[in-house]
Amino acid sequence: RFAQMMWRLNFFVFFVCVTMNNEYMLYYICPMHTFFTWLVYLTLWLRNHLNGSSVFLLLKMVMVTALTLALYHLPGAFRATFAPAAPLLAFHDPLHPEFTDALHEWYFRSKLDHLVWIFGMLCAFCFPWYDGCLEYLESFGRPTRIAMRATLLAAVFAIGACWYVTTFTLPKREYNAVHPYSSWIPILCYIVLRNLTPVMRRCSMHLFSWCGKVTLETYILQFHIWMKTTGLNGSPKHLMVWIPDWYWLNLALTSAVFLAVSYRVFQITVVLRDACIPKDAAALGTRTAA
């Protein structure tokens, strides 16, 4: 499964970089997700025979949090660690030639989310406990359940409003400085609200599920189908224009083609992934040897 995930994250972007002559970091979501997925994998792989112990898992998460903070905050640690990967992670932004450090973009982008992957691990760790809390809440009578949900709802809105007023409304640079340490707050609020009642837990929107499948492809293809870039290694700055002077018709056409191509690329990536990297470990070993 891990090998399939690596294929999923990097197969399409590899060919886009080769054909468009762009650097890997232009599509920074791919290296970021690859790096953080590796960190999750390595954290759980380390002495995995002890993962049945909640104390041991928590200890590993504490240790990896400390190592991550050291990586991004100890002077010189980040660049010394990633110097060997500089040819892959370097980015030369044509819009910002003042950035002479080739790893500047990788540092900036990965630092923004350098702790949220640990929050994701913590959410997975706490899921059985949270599920038990929801079942416990349902064991009360209707008036008590309503009062408890109302209290929880008020607390979530109070926390969310406080985050919005004190953090989200900050100017861009000030917000970027606190984002790594506060981005988990709206995520937690959403998780609590999304699971507040049994009806909400049972219902889902197929549109969101479908969009989630092709998020990676839509992110990459927005540079080349939905919008126009500023050239080599250029960011998308303008809407692609196929029908001049007809904004809404042009938007509808480019969006339809954009989504259709994204879904088709997703299908191709998955089919080739399953053909090259089967889920069965024995078959994977046989094909690798062959």
Side-chain angles (χ1 to χ4, degrees):
R1 181 175 176 81
F2 179 76
Q4 286 192 329
M5 179 61 71
M6 292 299 102
W7 176 288
R8 175 82 174 84
L9 287 171
N10 294 287
F11 171 78
F12 179 50
V13 74
F14 169 78
F15 287 100
V16 172
C17 289
V18 171
T19 56
M20 296 295 178
N21 201 27
N22 286 327
E23 291 177 315
Y24 186 39
M25 268 306 300
L26 178 64
Y27 314 97
Y28 62 84
I29 287 295
C30 297
M32 276 180 53
H33 283 204
T34 299
F35 176 56
F36 293 139
T37 302
W38 266 103
L39 291 181
V40 172
Y41 179 81
L42 292 175
T43 300
L44 295 178
W45 170 81
L46 182 65
R47 301 189 68 82
N48 57 81
H49 63 283
L50 298 176
N51 283 350
S53 168
S54 297
V55 174
F56 182 68
L57 279 176
L58 282 173
L59 179 61
K60 285 204 290 187
M61 280 188 273
V62 170
M63 292 177 63
V64 79
T65 300
L67 289 174
T68 303
L69 290 172
L71 176 64
Y72 284 89
H73 295 279
L74 286 182
F78 182 88
R79 281 163 181 80
T81 301
F82 289 104
L88 179 65
L89 299 174
F91 185 67
H92 303 89
D93 192 344
L95 298 181
H96 296 282
E98 70 273 15
F99 296 145
T100 57
D101 181 4
L103 289 176
H104 172 271
E105 185 74 3
W106 173 237
Y107 176 75
F108 171 71
R109 296 296 181 182
S110 62
K111 186 181 180 182
L112 284 176
D113 293 318
H114 72 285
L115 294 176
V116 75
W117 65 276
I118 301 174
F119 174 72
M121 292 179 64
L122 189 60
C123 285
F125 174 79
C126 293
F127 173 76
W129 170 81
Y130 183 53
D131 186 52
C133 290
L134 294 175
E135 290 184 1
Y136 179 68
L137 188 151
E138 297 303 322
S139 67
F140 290 94
R142 188 169 183 271
T144 304
R145 290 201 309 271
I146 293 175
M148 293 175 70
R149 287 189 183 124
T151 302
L152 190 59
L153 187 64
V156 168
F157 273 108
I159 294 172
C162 181
W163 168 81
Y164 179 85
V165 172
T166 62
T167 304
F168 189 69
T169 55
L170 290 172
K172 179 179 175 62
R173 292 185 182 276
E174 287 83 346
Y175 175 79
N176 285 346
V178 298
H179 174 83
Y181 317 103
S182 60
S183 61
W184 61 272
I185 297 175
I187 299 174
L188 180 62
C189 290
Y190 174 79
I191 291 174
V192 174
L193 291 177
R194 180 67 178 81
N195 296 278
L196 196 59
T197 68
V199 173
M200 295 175 69
R201 294 195 290 273
R202 286 195 300 268
C203 296
S204 63
M205 186 175 290
H206 179 71
L207 175 63
F208 289 166
S209 175
W210 184 88
C211 290
K213 291 180 180 179
V214 298
T215 300
L216 180 65
E217 287 73 22
T218 54
Y219 174 79
I220 296 172
L221 287 174
Q222 68 171 321
F223 289 76
H224 307 294
I225 294 181
W226 203 38
M227 293 186 281
K228 297 185 295 185
T229 66
T230 55
L232 185 65
N233 276 347
S235 301
K237 297 294 183 181
H238 308 284
L239 181 66
M240 183 71 72
V241 178
W242 291 347
I243 309 176
D245 303 322
W246 292 82
Y247 175 81
W248 292 109
L249 183 59
N250 180 77
L251 177 63
L253 178 60
T254 55
S255 298
V257 173
F258 169 61
L259 291 174
V261 174
S262 296
Y263 185 66
R264 183 58 179 160
V265 171
F266 161 74
Q267 289 179 312
I268 294 171
T269 302
V270 170
V271 169
L272 291 176
R273 179 201 66 189
D274 292 341
C276 297
I277 309 177
K279 294 182 180 180
D280 180 60
L284 176 59
T286 301
R287 294 189 188 183
T288 302

